[in-house]
């Protein structure tokens, strides 16, 4: 079974802190994605990556950056957390060329105080 | 501009009856559609998909219908069970575009009452 894991299920941070959200997949997938989910807004794509050291902006990249140093790991970074970044963050992966479903991690519920 | 729309934020159905969740899209380049199910505090899980060359795909209690001319798809759950209570997301993708890049709707919260 494909497994996508996220480093934390729940996280509480203070405004201005630097926050790292880690995602690891074990199926050698090339493509990885970071979304945030907010009530009434669905899933919105923040960043995605097609390969190591490659990254592309999604629909809402402002306030975020990413890092993909290894194929299995995709990190989302909040350089200076703000209260409007309180959200559920979801990581997903898919094999390149696959016209199929993405596999999601369990999510990280981030609260910024 | 929202390319994938789920106009009903919530739906309540009696156990044993049919649940119909609807989704509309605007981009005619979409050629693959998926439904995901999400429980609170969990990641979405894939439910069922359909290619644009088909108009129906069935998997057990779940059937997805695609009407390309109307740019509309629907998910039917028969019979509905209390365990089906979750948020359902419709998603679409374009082959030849960003591989695996999905556009999601805002979701419909389904409540199945015993």
């Amino acid at each position: 079974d494909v497994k996508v894991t996220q480093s934390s299920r729940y996280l509480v941070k203070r405004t201005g802190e630097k926050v790292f959200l880690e995602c690891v997949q074990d199926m050698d997938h090339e493509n990885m994605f970071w979304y945030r989910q907010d009530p009434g807004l669905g899933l919105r794509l923040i960043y995605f990556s097609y390969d190591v050291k490659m990254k592309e902006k999604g629909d809402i990249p402002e306030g975020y950056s990413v890092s993909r140093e290894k194929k299995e790991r995709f990190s989302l970074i909040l350089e200076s957390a703000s209260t409007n970044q309180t959200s559920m963050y979801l990581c997903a992966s898919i094999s390149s060329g696959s016209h199929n479903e993405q596999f999601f991690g369990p999510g990280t519920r981030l609260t910024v105080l | 501009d929202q390319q994938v729309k789920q106009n009903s934020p919530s739906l309540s159905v009696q156990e044993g009856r049919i649940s119909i969740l609807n989704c509309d899209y605007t981009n005619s380049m979409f050629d693959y559609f998926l439904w995901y199910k999400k429980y609170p505090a969990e990641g979405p899980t894939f439910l069922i998909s359909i290619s644009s060359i088909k108009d129906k795909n069935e998997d057990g209690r779940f059937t997805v219908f695609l009407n390309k001319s109307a740019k509309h798809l629907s998910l039917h759950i028969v019979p509905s069970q209390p365990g089906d209570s979750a948020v359902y997301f419709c998603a679409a993708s374009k082959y030849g575009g960003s591989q695996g890049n999905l556009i999601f709707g805002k979701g419909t919260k389904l409540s199945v009452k015993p």
Side-chain angles (χ1 to χ4, degrees):
Chain A
D1 277 354
V2 173
K3 197 165 186 181
V4 180
T5 57
Q6 295 182 228
S7 51
S8 305
R9 293 299 301 274
Y10 300 94
L11 209 52
V12 179
K13 295 292 181 180
R14 297 209 173 272
T15 300
E17 279 192 82
K18 191 168 186 175
V19 182
F20 292 87
L21 302 182
E22 304 284 341
C23 174
V24 178
Q25 49 92 5
D26 65 359
M27 283 300 290
D28 204 35
H29 285 169
E30 291 82 6
N31 302 342
M32 298 187 73
F33 304 81
W34 274 106
Y35 296 89
R36 62 179 282 179
Q37 184 206 356
D38 300 288
L41 296 177
L43 276 71
R44 293 181 293 167
L45 181 64
I46 305 171
Y47 266 97
F48 56 101
S49 169
Y50 293 138
D51 204 348
V52 175
K53 298 196 185 296
M54 289 183 62
K55 60 183 179 183
E56 297 276 349
K57 292 180 179 179
D59 299 319
I60 52 164
E62 295 79 20
Y64 303 95
S65 62
V66 289
S67 174
R68 185 117 182 252
E69 296 296 320
K70 293 186 177 181
K71 191 176 185 180
E72 68 271 17
R73 188 180 297 268
F74 192 33
S75 303
L76 180 69
I77 304 153
L78 286 67
E79 295 292 341
S80 178
S82 62
T83 55
N84 63 13
Q85 292 178 309
T86 292
S87 186
M88 168 71 89
Y89 288 89
L90 294 159
C91 174
S93 73
I94 189 171
S95 180
S96 177
S98 171
H99 203 35
N100 230 312
E101 73 273 16
Q102 292 181 5
F103 295 89
F104 281 85
T108 296
R109 169 67 66 184
L110 172 66
T111 301
V112 183
L113 302 175
Chain B
D1 183 29
Q2 203 180 344
Q3 298 186 68
V4 177
K5 300 177 185 178
Q6 293 178 257
N7 292 319
S8 299
S10 64
L11 176 68
S12 183
V13 171
Q14 206 68 32
E15 181 179 6
R17 306 295 285 265
I18 184 171
S19 295
I20 300 176
L21 295 94
N22 294 303
C23 179
D24 297 296
Y25 62 96
T26 57
N27 192 332
S28 57
M29 296 297 291
F30 289 145
D31 63 350
Y32 200 76
F33 304 89
L34 307 91
W35 285 94
Y36 281 82
K37 175 180 179 179
K38 186 182 184 298
Y39 293 117
E42 293 184 13
T45 55
F46 169 73
L47 193 58
I48 192 169
S49 62
I50 188 166
S51 164
S52 61
I53 62 174
K54 296 187 176 182
D55 54 18
K56 177 183 174 181
N57 188 25
E58 194 171 350
D59 183 2
R61 296 185 298 114
F62 303 92
T63 303
V64 55
F65 295 92
L66 176 62
N67 182 334
K68 283 180 63 179
S69 60
K71 294 191 178 70
H72 176 83
L73 62 155
S74 60
L75 174 68
H76 292 212
I77 307 173
V78 184
S80 301
Q81 299 173 354
D84 296 329
S85 297
V87 177
Y88 290 79
F89 291 100
C90 171
S93 74
K94 289 179 290 184
Y95 190 76
S98 304
Q99 290 289 340
N101 198 355
L102 298 176
I103 310 297
F104 285 88
K106 293 185 177 182
T108 297
K109 184 176 183 180
L110 173 66
S111 300
V112 180
K113 301 185 185 305

